[in-house]
Amino acid sequence: MTTAATPRKLPWWRTLKGREALAGYIGISPWLLGFLMWGVGPMLLSAYYSLTEYSILSDPVFRGLDNFERMFTRDKLFAQALRVTGVYAIVTVPLGVIVGYGLALLLNQKARGLSFWRTGFYLPAVVPGVATAYLFAYVFAHEYGLADSVLQTIGISDPPNWFGSTKWSLPSLMVLSLWGAGGGLILYLASLQGVPTALYDAAKVDGANAWGQFWNVTIPLTSPVILFTFIMGIINSFQVFTSAFIITDGGPVNSTLFYVLYLYRKGWQQLEMGYAAGLAWILFIIIFALTILVLRTSSRFVHYEGE
Amino acid sequence: MGNPAVDERGSVAVQRTSIFDLQSPVVSRLFWRTVLYLLLAVGLAMFLLPMVWLVSGSLKPDGQVFTIPPTFIPRPVLWANYPTALAKFPFWISLKNTMTIVVGVLVGRVLTASLVAYSFARLRFPGRGALFLIVLSTMMIPYHVVLIPQYLIFRDLGWLDTPLPIIVPNWFGGGAFFIFMMRQFFMSLNKEIDEAARIDGCGFFGTFWRVILPQSLPALGALSIFTFMGEWNDFFAPLIYLNTEEKMTLAVAIRTWQFDTNLTYQAATWPELMVMSTILTIPPVLVFFFLQRYFIQGVVVTGVKG
């Protein structure tokens, strides 16, 4: 190390590597800042609020685990919200995947006018949630809605009061959700078209019939996309809000009290922000746990190329 | 086809037996094609029927909305429902509010999501892999967990009842999903072109601006479509943050209108609600029809690799 050499030794941020790294950090800085300001910070705050009684009008008061104790031991509406949302998810997520995948399979039979069919089936998925809600309120209106007037025309004199009955309100919302099942179509089609035809030929040589090809070639090769849409379906179904809020507002008798609707009521109608923060954390934990569970169990069924 | 050698009666007989002969490959194919198109047509009719019902409901007189048996073609077709509803409902203000949010979110997202994604895709820096994993894992955090503190922060900033709480967070990377989408796209671009630009003396950000972005129009198209649809359709955030009718987006304004009892606007009738729902539906449907290519690319890029 002589003084003559030092002019050539640059500080790290002037070196090629250093400049690239610096540019990289500057480049991601919007995200990093946002992550701290709108992500980590609020998450920590909301974890704290969940341990407090916070009526928004006065300062939060620390109450330990009181909110959670109340949820799991005394709050009947919390249990109801979990039940409603859980039943809804269990029915609509698998059915939604089956309907979407089934449509994609039909379209993948070299149907003519593919883009026409695809557009048609996908269309309901781009209809705004608010419009969907009003539309279905109208379709399922008692006696005079589309559903009931068809039923009466074919001779059923006492058709159900769909959204007005505790028995039918949740199933009606499930139908609404399945109406958008074509939303998975684009992904399923793309992955079905990605299955190499050579594999089908090989299966035929091995004597596989259509069912065998479907079960041993099509399903395994498209399973990653099925898994992806399944997980997204779970995440979305636990966050249902718009349709229930507009059509039934949780009723009748809390038969459609979805989880996020309950959270909204607690936070913005009853101004129990601490309790609402606790509800949000439970929601996060449920979604997280279900996602991990599905990912874990799926490794036995899902086929990834190159394995 | 005019084969003179074949006896006419004989050929008819052959056709007769073969039409019901499902073992014959031609007939079997015909049979299954018919079943396929029948299934598709019935399915499509079921999916589109509610939409026809929506539009037809918007054109009926108030008293005719509910009839047995259901009528799909209103008599008379009441086009006047549209101007009436638009006059009663604060349509233009709500539309302006909606578009303010769409544009505000879109500009922030285009600029920052692509910059962040470019840095993750092309620049090497210590901790890059770990940081990108964090980006991906934030996709799993439900909005509701951060909602309450964010709401309180925006309240303290005096931003309630303004579009800022919805717009501003999108100027910080635009959300993990979009960072991921843009990164996937940048990774698929040819590296040699931007390396050549670097050698020619273009800086990192100059390369991004002048070489990468101009190649990224399809991805930016998909991003814009998703943003438009997301913000146009969004209900929860505007419901939380926008409280006065002069500030509401279309989606929340319609719902408020349904229950409106103050004197400013008359409450909606059923056909008028259908009118507004139809109007709310038209832009996303048009965007989907005409920009389907970008839309589909975007879905596939994020979904298949996701």
Side-chain angles (χ1 to χ4, degrees):
Chain A
M1 268 256 230
T2 62
T3 38
T6 35
R8 310 234 22 105
K9 172 112 177 93
L10 297 162
W12 74 268
W13 67 86
R14 302 279 303 275
T15 64
L16 208 60
K17 258 189 157 175
R19 277 173 51 202
E20 184 170 345
L22 197 64
Y25 290 125
I26 293 171
I28 66 160
S29 64
W31 167 75
L32 204 58
L33 264 174
F35 177 59
L36 297 174
M37 283 196 306
W38 320 118
V40 176
M43 272 181 91
L44 293 174
L45 273 174
S46 112
Y48 167 68
Y49 291 149
S50 74
L51 304 174
T52 65
E53 189 182 322
Y54 189 8
S55 72
I56 210 176
L57 305 168
S58 54
D59 285 340
V61 182
F62 190 78
R63 292 267 191 254
L65 293 172
D66 276 10
N67 285 332
F68 296 101
E69 197 231 316
R70 186 173 136 203
M71 270 174 226
F72 287 103
T73 58
R74 277 169 290 149
D75 189 348
K76 292 219 171 72
L77 287 180
F78 169 74
Q80 173 69 4
L82 272 186
R83 208 181 58 83
V84 167
T85 316
V87 169
Y88 177 86
I90 288 170
V91 175
T92 57
V93 176
L95 267 182
V97 170
I98 290 170
V99 171
Y101 194 80
L103 286 173
L105 279 176
L106 285 181
L107 290 184
N108 201 39
Q109 303 305 309
K110 301 193 182 70
R112 288 222 187 135
L114 176 68
S115 75
F116 165 77
W117 297 109
R118 187 180 56 194
T119 307
F121 284 117
Y122 197 87
L123 209 53
V126 302
V127 175
V130 173
T132 310
Y134 283 118
L135 165 57
F136 271 82
Y138 181 32
V139 167
F140 283 126
H142 188 212
E143 286 185 13
Y144 301 101
L146 177 61
D148 275 1
S149 46
V150 167
L151 288 178
Q152 285 172 88
T153 309
I154 61 169
I156 294 163
S157 59
D158 185 23
N161 179 3
W162 303 96
F163 288 118
S165 84
T166 49
K167 191 172 152 202
W168 289 106
S169 54
L170 192 57
S172 308
L173 285 173
M174 290 171 179
V175 172
L176 182 152
S177 132
L178 288 177
W179 190 55
L185 201 58
I186 291 177
L187 273 184
Y188 295 133
L189 263 176
S191 85
L192 284 171
Q193 285 161 353
V195 178
T197 36
L199 284 176
Y200 289 117
D201 297 339
K204 265 181 228 160
V205 170
D206 289 347
N209 57 12
W211 178 251
Q213 290 172 37
F214 171 68
W215 201 243
N216 296 311
V217 178
T218 314
I219 289 274
L221 280 164
T222 53
S223 57
V225 164
I226 297 177
L227 175 69
F228 173 76
T229 52
F230 196 81
I231 290 176
M232 293 314 289
I234 292 175
I235 293 176
N236 288 335
S237 67
F238 268 87
Q239 302 186 43
V240 167
F241 177 79
T242 308
S243 51
F245 180 74
I246 288 182
I247 305 176
T248 60
D249 199 17
V253 212
N254 297 316
S255 57
T256 55
L257 183 67
F258 279 86
Y259 196 92
V260 173
L261 188 59
Y262 185 53
L263 189 156
Y264 172 79
R265 268 193 201 169
K266 279 289 168 201
W268 280 270
Q269 290 175 346
Q270 299 164 11
L271 300 182
E272 293 188 49
M273 286 287 178
Y275 200 73
L279 287 172
W281 271 93
I282 298 291
L283 177 69
F284 178 38
I285 291 167
I286 291 173
I287 289 177
F288 189 79
L290 282 176
T291 309
I292 298 293
L293 186 78
V294 171
L295 281 175
R296 278 281 163 80
T297 50
S298 69
S299 58
R300 263 176 284 157
F301 310 109
V302 174
H303 170 92
Y304 286 103
E305 226 136 332
E307 257 176 38
Chain B
M1 293 280 255
N3 188 340
V6 177
D7 156 16
E8 209 182 283
R9 253 167 150 203
S11 81
V12 168
V14 167
Q15 263 183 351
R16 259 196 202 140
T17 52
S18 67
I19 256 192
F20 297 101
D21 176 16
L22 284 175
Q23 300 302 320
S24 135
V26 176
V27 175
S28 151
R29 195 184 132 74
L30 201 74
F31 173 75
W32 287 114
R33 286 277 105 174
T34 313
V35 171
L36 172 69
Y37 288 114
L38 218 67
L39 274 174
L40 285 175
V42 170
L44 191 64
M46 274 169 62
F47 270 81
L48 294 188
L49 199 64
M51 291 187 80
V52 177
W53 190 240
L54 170 72
V55 177
S56 108
S58 76
L59 295 171
K60 287 175 184 168
D62 194 10
Q64 214 193 77
V65 175
F66 298 116
T67 54
I68 304 169
T71 44
F72 275 94
I73 297 164
R75 246 169 272 143
V77 178
L78 221 62
W79 294 105
N81 281 348
Y82 279 73
T84 315
L86 289 178
K88 276 170 73 179
F89 177 81
F91 177 74
W92 298 104
I93 302 168
S94 313
L95 179 67
K96 195 197 88 200
N97 295 338
T98 312
M99 289 318 289
T100 306
I101 290 179
V102 168
V103 173
V105 171
L106 184 63
V107 174
R109 198 169 267 167
V110 165
L111 293 177
T112 61
S114 56
L115 176 65
V116 172
Y118 163 74
S119 307
F120 276 122
R122 283 290 203 267
L123 303 177
R124 277 155 303 179
F125 50 87
R128 182 175 76 165
L131 285 168
F132 191 66
L133 264 182
I134 296 179
V135 172
L136 291 185
S137 61
T138 58
M139 276 202 248
M140 266 183 63
I141 301 171
Y143 178 52
H144 310 94
V145 172
V146 291
L147 177 70
I148 290 166
Q150 280 191 7
Y151 178 81
L152 297 168
I153 293 168
F154 293 133
R155 183 194 60 170
D156 293 343
L157 288 170
W159 285 4
L160 294 189
D161 211 25
T162 75
L164 291 174
I166 301 168
I167 295 174
V168 171
N170 285 295
W171 282 72
F172 293 83
F177 174 84
F178 291 99
I179 296 175
F180 175 68
M181 185 177 108
M182 294 307 290
R183 177 182 170 271
Q184 291 296 101
F185 184 80
F186 293 152
M187 304 272 278
S188 72
L189 292 179
N190 192 341
K191 235 178 168 166
E192 277 154 28
I193 300 174
D194 52 289
E195 268 160 12
R198 294 275 305 120
I199 290 163
D200 289 348
C202 212
F204 293 109
F205 297 116
T207 309
F208 164 67
W209 192 251
R210 275 182 239 129
V211 181
I212 298 278
L213 273 192
Q215 293 181 72
S216 309
L217 293 181
L220 291 176
L223 178 142
S224 307
I225 294 167
F226 287 152
T227 301
F228 171 74
M229 293 210 178
E231 301 307 319
W232 180 273
N233 299 355
D234 190 19
F235 183 71
F236 194 73
L239 176 75
I240 299 269
Y241 287 115
L242 308 172
N243 312 115
T244 56
E245 273 169 344
E246 298 74 56
K247 297 295 170 72
M248 284 179 184
T249 60
L250 279 168
V252 272
I254 293 174
R255 136 88 197 181
T256 310
W257 190 36
Q258 183 198 347
F259 293 106
D260 214 335
T261 46
N262 73 27
L263 295 175
T264 329
Y265 311 110
Q266 267 180 288
T269 62
W270 265 107
E272 286 164 357
L273 275 176
M274 294 302 117
V275 167
M276 290 319 301
S277 298
T278 307
I279 292 178
L280 188 70
T281 305
I282 291 171
V285 166
L286 287 182
V287 165
F288 175 65
F289 267 130
F290 290 108
L291 303 171
Q292 222 182 98
R293 199 161 58 86
Y294 298 112
F295 186 85
I296 289 174
Q297 258 174 7
V299 172
V300 172
V301 161
T302 48
V304 173
K305 273 301 286 178

